Amino acid sequence: MKFGVVVFPGSNCDRDVAYVTQGLLHCPTRLIWHQETDISDLDVVVLPGGFSYGDYLRCGAIAQFSPVMPEIIKHAEQGKLVLGICNGFQVLTEAGLLPGALIRNRDLHFICDRVPMKVENTRLPWTSQYQSGEIINLPIAHGEGRYYADADTLAQLEDNGQVVFRYCSPQGESNPESNPNGSLNQIAGICNSRGNVLGMMPHPERASDPILGDTDGMKLFESVLSAAIAGVR
């Protein structure tokens, strides 16, 4: 299982992801400069958090035109895995790999916190190590993380089981107080209809090393390895 982590101008979580995949999981990992056009050697591509191109136009709006993006789209079309975290999630929506958009937080300010969320779909290569309905805690750090989509798109996401993570209270309840950024349907992460492309605003890589006191995010990366092993068998 070989990971690639895309580096856009302004990315700042790329090394964090590589530390998890290479340093903790001991998987081959390489950083992909955004101008590269050959990623055929990779199994999993991660678009990390940060501020691609400074977010000067709109989060992810410029990054979608980087030379590497057509290759990532092909990578996804081949059924290979693509993960977008925070700004990476924004890039995936701008590039059309995931529906909807990430807009300004409800209270119009940057949020940096650790929040609970519920795992809604465990039938994916990303979530097999979680229990259905499990409450996990992951860090968030964003100013434009409010998930928005039209009513038809939301209904389709819900009907198809494409809502993967949902903000909730520590007890698993959904209410306005447990929705940190005002995302519609409390959505924290979604996948495409095929399940191989995942976008999420919370940062699993920041909750993977035991030294940080929380490893809820590590199960996501371990799920990917389990899926690879199952595929070999």
Side-chain angles (χ1 to χ4, degrees):
M1 175 64 71
K2 186 172 183 178
F3 288 82
V5 185
V6 181
V7 183
F8 297 106
S11 295
N12 63 15
C13 299
D14 42 340
R15 269 70 176 178
D16 297 4
V17 175
Y19 171 76
V20 174
T21 59
Q22 183 166 311
L24 299 180
L25 289 180
H26 308 293
C27 290
T29 302
R30 72 179 179 91
L31 298 178
I32 310 164
W33 183 235
H34 72 111
Q35 292 181 331
E36 289 189 41
T37 56
D38 185 1
I39 58 172
S40 58
D41 59 313
L42 302 176
D43 301 296
V44 186
V45 173
V46 183
L47 283 68
F51 304 90
S52 58
Y53 293 89
D55 288 346
Y56 290 125
L57 176 60
R58 186 176 63 250
C59 296
I62 302 177
Q64 68 168 312
F65 298 111
S66 286
V68 74
M69 287 307 300
E71 302 309 310
I72 292 175
I73 292 172
K74 292 177 184 176
H75 180 93
E77 290 174 344
Q78 293 168 0
K80 295 183 179 181
L81 300 178
V82 179
L83 170 63
I85 303 171
C86 199
N87 185 238
F89 186 8
Q90 296 162 340
V91 175
L92 292 179
T93 60
E94 292 287 344
L97 280 172
L98 290 174
L102 285 307
I103 62 176
R104 292 288 300 275
N105 293 344
R106 174 184 52 213
D107 298 326
L108 304 181
H109 60 76
F110 188 90
I111 302 173
C112 184
D113 204 351
R114 187 177 294 268
V115 300
M117 64 196 67
K118 182 183 294 185
V119 182
E120 297 282 3
N121 187 340
T122 57
R123 303 179 304 277
L124 301 169
W126 310 102
T127 55
S128 64
Q129 298 302 300
Y130 293 106
Q131 298 297 315
S132 180
E134 183 176 350
I135 309 302
I136 63 175
N137 290 277
L138 295 181
I140 57 172
H142 57 252
E144 297 180 84
R146 183 182 185 185
Y147 184 77
Y148 178 85
D150 61 66
D152 289 342
T153 299
L154 284 174
Q156 186 176 37
L157 290 174
E158 297 287 359
D159 292 344
N160 294 342
Q162 290 176 242
V163 177
V164 183
F165 300 106
R166 202 185 307 268
Y167 299 114
C168 66
S169 72
Q171 295 75 36
E173 302 167 342
S174 295
N175 53 56
E177 291 74 24
S178 64
N179 192 351
N181 51 33
S183 289
L184 295 184
N185 292 23
Q186 312 254 144
I187 289 174
I190 62 170
C191 65
N192 63 345
S193 59
R194 195 171 179 178
N196 63 310
V197 179
L198 172 67
M200 57 190 298
M201 287 310 297
H203 287 264
E205 79 281 8
R206 297 184 184 179
S208 293
D209 192 336
I211 199 171
L212 298 177
D214 188 354
T215 57
D216 283 350
M218 190 61 168
K219 289 184 181 180
L220 184 143
F221 297 101
E222 290 173 342
S223 294
V224 173
L225 291 186
S226 295
I229 293 171
V232 170
R233 290 176 180 170

